[in-house]
PDB file of all heavy atoms in Angstrom:
ATOM      1  N   ARG G   8       7.952  22.714   4.872  1.00 88.00           N
ATOM      2  CA  ARG G   8       9.166  23.037   5.630  1.00 88.00           C
ATOM      3  C   ARG G   8       9.330  22.052   6.770  1.00 88.00           C
ATOM      4  O   ARG G   8       8.405  21.833   7.551  1.00 88.00           O
ATOM      5  CB  ARG G   8       9.102  24.464   6.187  1.00 88.00           C
ATOM      6  CG  ARG G   8      10.251  24.806   7.143  1.00 88.00           C
ATOM      7  CD  ARG G   8      10.328  26.275   7.436  1.00 88.00           C
ATOM      8  NE  ARG G   8      10.744  27.025   6.251  1.00 88.00           N
ATOM      9  CZ  ARG G   8      10.917  28.347   6.226  1.00 88.00           C
ATOM     10  NH1 ARG G   8      10.694  29.056   7.327  1.00 88.00           N
ATOM     11  NH2 ARG G   8      11.302  28.943   5.131  1.00 88.00           N
ATOM     12  N   ARG G  95     -20.575  20.055  -9.468  1.00 43.00           N
ATOM     13  CA  ARG G  95     -20.273  18.624  -9.518  1.00 43.00           C
ATOM     14  C   ARG G  95     -21.076  17.909  -8.442  1.00 43.00           C
ATOM     15  O   ARG G  95     -21.176  18.360  -7.324  1.00 43.00           O
ATOM     16  CB  ARG G  95     -18.776  18.361  -9.296  1.00 43.00           C
ATOM     17  CG  ARG G  95     -18.424  16.868  -9.381  1.00 43.00           C
ATOM     18  CD  ARG G  95     -16.945  16.644  -9.210  1.00 43.00           C
ATOM     19  NE  ARG G  95     -16.196  17.166 -10.326  1.00 43.00           N
ATOM     20  CZ  ARG G  95     -15.974  16.481 -11.435  1.00 43.00           C
ATOM     21  NH1 ARG G  95     -16.452  15.271 -11.572  1.00 43.00           N
ATOM     22  NH2 ARG G  95     -15.274  17.004 -12.411  1.00 43.00           N
ATOM     23  N   PHE G  97     -21.935  13.959  -6.686  1.00 40.00           N
ATOM     24  CA  PHE G  97     -21.533  12.563  -6.616  1.00 40.00           C
ATOM     25  C   PHE G  97     -22.711  11.674  -6.255  1.00 40.00           C
ATOM     26  O   PHE G  97     -22.539  10.549  -5.817  1.00 40.00           O
ATOM     27  CB  PHE G  97     -20.419  12.385  -5.574  1.00 40.00           C
ATOM     28  CG  PHE G  97     -19.111  12.995  -5.986  1.00 40.00           C
ATOM     29  CD1 PHE G  97     -18.412  13.763  -5.082  1.00 40.00           C
ATOM     30  CD2 PHE G  97     -18.611  12.830  -7.261  1.00 40.00           C
ATOM     31  CE1 PHE G  97     -17.194  14.327  -5.440  1.00 40.00           C
ATOM     32  CE2 PHE G  97     -17.407  13.392  -7.619  1.00 40.00           C
ATOM     33  CZ  PHE G  97     -16.702  14.149  -6.714  1.00 40.00           C
ATOM     34  N   GLU G  99     -24.754  10.312  -8.288  1.00 37.00           N
ATOM     35  CA  GLU G  99     -24.761   9.210  -9.246  1.00 37.00           C
ATOM     36  C   GLU G  99     -23.450   9.208  -9.998  1.00 37.00           C
ATOM     37  O   GLU G  99     -22.967  10.262 -10.419  1.00 37.00           O
ATOM     38  CB  GLU G  99     -25.920   9.368 -10.248  1.00 37.00           C
ATOM     39  CG  GLU G  99     -27.300   9.235  -9.619  1.00 37.00           C
ATOM     40  CD  GLU G  99     -28.389   9.315 -10.671  1.00 37.00           C
ATOM     41  OE1 GLU G  99     -28.038   9.436 -11.862  1.00 37.00           O
ATOM     42  OE2 GLU G  99     -29.563   9.248 -10.311  1.00 37.00           O
ATOM     43  N   ALA G 132      -3.772 -14.615   0.976  1.00 93.00           N
ATOM     44  CA  ALA G 132      -2.624 -14.126   0.218  1.00 93.00           C
ATOM     45  C   ALA G 132      -2.569 -14.756  -1.169  1.00 93.00           C
ATOM     46  O   ALA G 132      -2.253 -14.084  -2.164  1.00 93.00           O
ATOM     47  CB  ALA G 132      -1.333 -14.414   0.981  1.00 93.00           C
ATOM     48  N   ASP G 177      13.505 -11.253   8.713  1.00 92.00           N
ATOM     49  CA  ASP G 177      12.471 -11.881   7.887  1.00 92.00           C
ATOM     50  C   ASP G 177      12.473 -11.301   6.473  1.00 92.00           C
ATOM     51  O   ASP G 177      12.412 -12.032   5.476  1.00 92.00           O
ATOM     52  CB  ASP G 177      11.082 -11.667   8.515  1.00 92.00           C
ATOM     53  CG  ASP G 177      10.932 -12.360   9.849  1.00 92.00           C
ATOM     54  OD1 ASP G 177      11.650 -13.351  10.094  1.00 92.00           O
ATOM     55  OD2 ASP G 177      10.087 -11.909  10.649  1.00 92.00           O
ATOM     56  N   GLY G 199       2.008  -6.608  10.907  1.00 90.00           N
ATOM     57  CA  GLY G 199       2.779  -5.458  10.462  1.00 90.00           C
ATOM     58  C   GLY G 199       4.271  -5.736  10.443  1.00 90.00           C
ATOM     59  O   GLY G 199       4.710  -6.894  10.414  1.00 90.00           O
ATOM     60  N   SER G 206      12.047  -0.172   6.453  1.00 90.00           N
ATOM     61  CA  SER G 206      13.070   0.630   5.787  1.00 90.00           C
ATOM     62  C   SER G 206      13.890  -0.218   4.820  1.00 90.00           C
ATOM     63  O   SER G 206      14.205   0.208   3.706  1.00 90.00           O
ATOM     64  CB  SER G 206      13.985   1.282   6.823  1.00 90.00           C
ATOM     65  OG  SER G 206      13.266   2.180   7.641  1.00 90.00           O
TER      66      SER G 206
END
Side-chain angles (χ1 to χ4, degrees):
R8 172 168 291 181
R95 182 178 292 274
F97 290 134
E99 294 184 2
D177 295 335
S206 297

